């Protein structure tokens, strides 16, 4: 009598795995996807990214963060770029996305315009793919590894603020919470530790870590896992009544370089968020932090693997997507 039940469980398990990680979507992604339709797409995007970086360094962390926030909500489908309308509050206006810097959006929109202005390329390349290419470029142009980008994503058909709820990691997360959220996107704990190194670039508003330097607990106002000298520096940069617009570097040592300094900082108790420092204080992730702090090559390879897997999350194909003419408009 048990056999039918086992068969049903197997069918349900296979159905669930196909829903979460559809093989058809993954199969559609490939390097050089636009070789015949728009062969110069990657060099066109690279040129726009280089020009944007000349205008402002913020382009680099803004684009990288935009990609992550896009992929973790409804998959890598450029839905985070869509603007709200009178009848729809889009992803970008959810509270978790309000700190996404405008330069990331601007990079994609400018690159899309440049691609569409190229003969033969108009309406051939998705906003989602342009964001994936631009993300690889900002990493490489800030000292990180370059890697081949899988392409072939379509743009999503919806974007709602409600869909963001509970989908993005918070600065107070424990290792279990981080691992669980990444696992829901087909990413391992090792992938999560690698992708966390994106915090080697960019900025944070003081409110995101104020509890660690002023109100950690009734007995200890300062988080004991925080380097005491670093805590004093943070207090001077972020006084109690600081302007909420003030942002500080997430990496105090090499804030404009994509490198493995993130892990070296964790060893010194200089992870800015609880969710950063926990990677060193938790014995399960500590060995990986120690290894990558001294082995840049191993870290870069793990980061490339994780970014490639991240780029496969929730890819839209066929009738589930389209190529948007305007990245900010669903219609």
């Amino acid at each position: 009598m048990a056999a039918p039940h086992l068969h049903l469980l197997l069918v349900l398990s296979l159905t669930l795995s196909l829903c979460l990680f559809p093989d058809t979507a993954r199969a559609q992604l490939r390097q050089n996807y636009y070789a015949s339709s728009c062969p110069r797409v990657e060099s066109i995007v690279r040129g726009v990214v280089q020009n944007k970086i000349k205008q402002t360094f913020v382009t680099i962390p803004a684009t990288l963060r935009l990609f992550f926030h896009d992929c973790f909500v409804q998959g890598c489908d450029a839905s985070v770029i869509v603007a709200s309308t009178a009848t729809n509050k889009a992803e970008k206006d959810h509270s978790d996305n309000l700190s996404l810097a405008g330069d990331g959006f601007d990079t994609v929109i400018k690159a899309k315009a440049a691609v569409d202005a190229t003969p033969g390329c108009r309406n051939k390349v998705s906003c989602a793919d342009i964001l994936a290419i631009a993300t690889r470029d900002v990493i490489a142009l800030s000292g990180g590894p370059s890697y081949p980008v899988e392409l072939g994503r379509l743009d999503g058909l919806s974007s709602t603020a409600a869909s963001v709820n509970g989908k993005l990691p918070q600065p107070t997360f424990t290792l279990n919470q981080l691992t669980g959220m990444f696992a829901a996107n087909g990413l391992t704990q090792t992938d999560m530790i690698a992708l966390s190194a994106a915090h080697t670039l960019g900025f944070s508003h003081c409110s995101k870590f104020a509890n660690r330097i002023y109100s950690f607990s009734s007995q200890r106002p300062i988080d004991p896992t925080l380097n005491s000298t670093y805590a004093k520096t943070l207090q001077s940069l972020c006084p109690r009544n600081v302007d909420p617009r003030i942002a500080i570097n997430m990496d105090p040592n090499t804030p404009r370089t994509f490198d493995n300094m993130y892990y070296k900082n964790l060893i010194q108790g200089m992870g800015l968020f609880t969710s950063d420092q926990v990677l060193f204080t938790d014995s399960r992730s500590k060995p990986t932090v120690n290894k990558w702090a001294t082995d840049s090559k191993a870290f870069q390879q793990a980061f490339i693997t994780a970014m490639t897997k991240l780029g496969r999350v929730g890819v839209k194909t066929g009738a589930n997507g389209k190529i948007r003419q305007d990245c900010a408009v669903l219609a």
Side-chain angles (χ1 to χ4, degrees), residues 299-321:
F299 156 60
Q300 290 196 352
Q301 193 53 57
F303 186 81
I304 291 170
T305 297
M307 285 295 289
T308 302
K309 288 170 67 176
L310 176 61
R312 296 170 180 164
V313 174
V315 169
K316 305 297 186 294
T317 61
N320 293 321

Short mmCIF file of all heavy atoms in Angstrom, two decimals, residues 299-321:
data_model
loop_
_atom_site.label_atom_id
_atom_site.label_comp_id
_atom_site.label_asym_id
_atom_site.label_seq_id
_atom_site.Cartn_x
_atom_site.Cartn_y
_atom_site.Cartn_z
N PHE A 299 38.52 32.75 -3.33
CA PHE A 299 37.35 33.59 -3.14
C PHE A 299 36.76 34.03 -4.47
O PHE A 299 35.55 33.92 -4.70
CB PHE A 299 37.68 34.83 -2.30
CG PHE A 299 36.74 35.98 -2.54
CD1 PHE A 299 35.37 35.84 -2.30
CD2 PHE A 299 37.20 37.18 -3.05
CE1 PHE A 299 34.49 36.89 -2.56
CE2 PHE A 299 36.33 38.23 -3.32
CZ PHE A 299 34.98 38.08 -3.07
N GLN A 300 37.61 34.51 -5.38
CA GLN A 300 37.11 35.00 -6.67
C GLN A 300 36.41 33.89 -7.44
O GLN A 300 35.37 34.13 -8.06
CB GLN A 300 38.26 35.59 -7.49
CG GLN A 300 38.78 36.90 -6.91
CD GLN A 300 39.62 37.69 -7.90
OE1 GLN A 300 39.95 37.22 -8.98
NE2 GLN A 300 39.96 38.91 -7.53
N GLN A 301 36.95 32.68 -7.40
CA GLN A 301 36.32 31.57 -8.10
C GLN A 301 34.96 31.25 -7.49
O GLN A 301 33.98 31.00 -8.21
CB GLN A 301 37.22 30.33 -8.07
CG GLN A 301 36.78 29.24 -9.04
CD GLN A 301 36.60 29.75 -10.46
OE1 GLN A 301 37.52 30.29 -11.06
NE2 GLN A 301 35.40 29.61 -11.00
N ALA A 302 34.89 31.27 -6.16
CA ALA A 302 33.62 31.01 -5.48
C ALA A 302 32.60 32.10 -5.79
O ALA A 302 31.41 31.84 -5.94
CB ALA A 302 33.85 30.92 -3.97
N PHE A 303 33.09 33.34 -5.90
CA PHE A 303 32.20 34.46 -6.20
C PHE A 303 31.63 34.34 -7.61
O PHE A 303 30.44 34.55 -7.83
CB PHE A 303 32.94 35.79 -6.04
CG PHE A 303 32.05 36.99 -6.19
CD1 PHE A 303 31.27 37.43 -5.13
CD2 PHE A 303 31.96 37.68 -7.40
CE1 PHE A 303 30.42 38.53 -5.26
CE2 PHE A 303 31.13 38.78 -7.54
CZ PHE A 303 30.36 39.20 -6.47
N ILE A 304 32.47 33.96 -8.58
CA ILE A 304 32.00 33.76 -9.95
C ILE A 304 30.94 32.67 -10.01
O ILE A 304 29.89 32.82 -10.65
CB ILE A 304 33.19 33.42 -10.89
CG1 ILE A 304 34.11 34.62 -11.05
CG2 ILE A 304 32.68 32.94 -12.25
CD1 ILE A 304 35.43 34.30 -11.75
N THR A 305 31.20 31.57 -9.31
CA THR A 305 30.23 30.46 -9.26
C THR A 305 28.90 30.94 -8.69
O THR A 305 27.83 30.66 -9.25
CB THR A 305 30.77 29.30 -8.40
OG1 THR A 305 31.96 28.79 -9.01
CG2 THR A 305 29.75 28.18 -8.26
N ALA A 306 28.97 31.68 -7.58
CA ALA A 306 27.75 32.16 -6.92
C ALA A 306 27.00 33.18 -7.78
O ALA A 306 25.77 33.15 -7.85
CB ALA A 306 28.12 32.77 -5.56
N MET A 307 27.72 34.08 -8.45
CA MET A 307 27.07 35.07 -9.30
C MET A 307 26.39 34.41 -10.50
O MET A 307 25.30 34.82 -10.91
CB MET A 307 28.09 36.10 -9.79
CG MET A 307 28.51 37.11 -8.74
SD MET A 307 27.15 38.19 -8.18
CE MET A 307 26.91 39.23 -9.62
N THR A 308 27.02 33.39 -11.05
CA THR A 308 26.42 32.67 -12.18
C THR A 308 25.13 31.98 -11.74
O THR A 308 24.11 32.04 -12.45
CB THR A 308 27.42 31.65 -12.75
OG1 THR A 308 28.62 32.34 -13.14
CG2 THR A 308 26.83 30.93 -13.95
N LYS A 309 25.16 31.35 -10.56
CA LYS A 309 23.95 30.70 -10.03
C LYS A 309 22.88 31.73 -9.69
O LYS A 309 21.69 31.50 -9.95
CB LYS A 309 24.31 29.87 -8.79
CG LYS A 309 25.10 28.61 -9.12
CD LYS A 309 25.64 27.94 -7.87
CE LYS A 309 24.56 27.37 -6.99
NZ LYS A 309 25.15 26.64 -5.83
N LEU A 310 23.28 32.86 -9.14
CA LEU A 310 22.32 33.93 -8.82
C LEU A 310 21.62 34.40 -10.09
O LEU A 310 20.41 34.64 -10.09
CB LEU A 310 23.05 35.10 -8.15
CG LEU A 310 22.21 36.36 -7.85
CD1 LEU A 310 21.08 36.03 -6.87
CD2 LEU A 310 23.10 37.46 -7.28
N GLY A 311 22.38 34.50 -11.18
CA GLY A 311 21.82 34.97 -12.45
C GLY A 311 20.82 34.02 -13.07
O GLY A 311 20.12 34.37 -14.02
N ARG A 312 20.72 32.80 -12.55
CA ARG A 312 19.76 31.80 -13.06
C ARG A 312 18.45 31.79 -12.29
O ARG A 312 17.52 31.06 -12.65
CB ARG A 312 20.39 30.41 -12.98
CG ARG A 312 21.61 30.21 -13.86
CD ARG A 312 22.30 28.90 -13.54
NE ARG A 312 23.49 28.69 -14.38
CZ ARG A 312 24.43 27.80 -14.11
NH1 ARG A 312 24.35 27.05 -13.02
NH2 ARG A 312 25.47 27.67 -14.92
N VAL A 313 18.38 32.57 -11.21
CA VAL A 313 17.20 32.52 -10.34
C VAL A 313 15.97 33.11 -11.05
O VAL A 313 16.00 34.24 -11.54
CB VAL A 313 17.46 33.29 -9.03
CG1 VAL A 313 16.18 33.37 -8.19
CG2 VAL A 313 18.58 32.63 -8.24
N GLY A 314 14.90 32.32 -11.09
CA GLY A 314 13.61 32.80 -11.57
C GLY A 314 13.60 33.39 -12.96
O GLY A 314 12.84 34.32 -13.24
N VAL A 315 14.42 32.85 -13.86
CA VAL A 315 14.50 33.38 -15.22
C VAL A 315 13.16 33.22 -15.93
O VAL A 315 12.53 32.16 -15.86
CB VAL A 315 15.63 32.68 -16.01
CG1 VAL A 315 15.57 33.01 -17.48
CG2 VAL A 315 16.99 33.08 -15.42
N LYS A 316 12.73 34.27 -16.61
CA LYS A 316 11.47 34.25 -17.36
C LYS A 316 11.71 33.81 -18.80
O LYS A 316 12.67 34.26 -19.43
CB LYS A 316 10.81 35.64 -17.35
CG LYS A 316 10.59 36.23 -15.96
CD LYS A 316 9.64 35.41 -15.12
CE LYS A 316 9.31 36.06 -13.79
NZ LYS A 316 10.44 36.16 -12.87
N THR A 317 10.82 32.94 -19.29
CA THR A 317 10.92 32.46 -20.67
C THR A 317 9.54 32.48 -21.31
O THR A 317 8.52 32.53 -20.62
CB THR A 317 11.46 31.02 -20.72
OG1 THR A 317 10.55 30.17 -20.01
CG2 THR A 317 12.83 30.91 -20.10
N GLY A 318 9.51 32.42 -22.63
CA GLY A 318 8.26 32.29 -23.37
C GLY A 318 7.22 33.33 -23.00
O GLY A 318 7.51 34.53 -22.92
N ALA A 319 6.02 32.85 -22.71
CA ALA A 319 4.90 33.76 -22.41
C ALA A 319 5.01 34.39 -21.02
O ALA A 319 4.24 35.28 -20.67
CB ALA A 319 3.58 33.00 -22.53
N ASN A 320 5.99 33.92 -20.21
CA ASN A 320 6.16 34.48 -18.86
C ASN A 320 6.98 35.76 -18.84
O ASN A 320 7.21 36.32 -17.77
CB ASN A 320 6.83 33.44 -17.96
CG ASN A 320 5.94 32.24 -17.70
OD1 ASN A 320 4.74 32.39 -17.54
ND2 ASN A 320 6.52 31.05 -17.71
N GLY A 321 7.44 36.20 -19.99
CA GLY A 321 8.23 37.42 -20.04
C GLY A 321 8.16 38.09 -21.40
O GLY A 321 7.47 37.62 -22.32
#
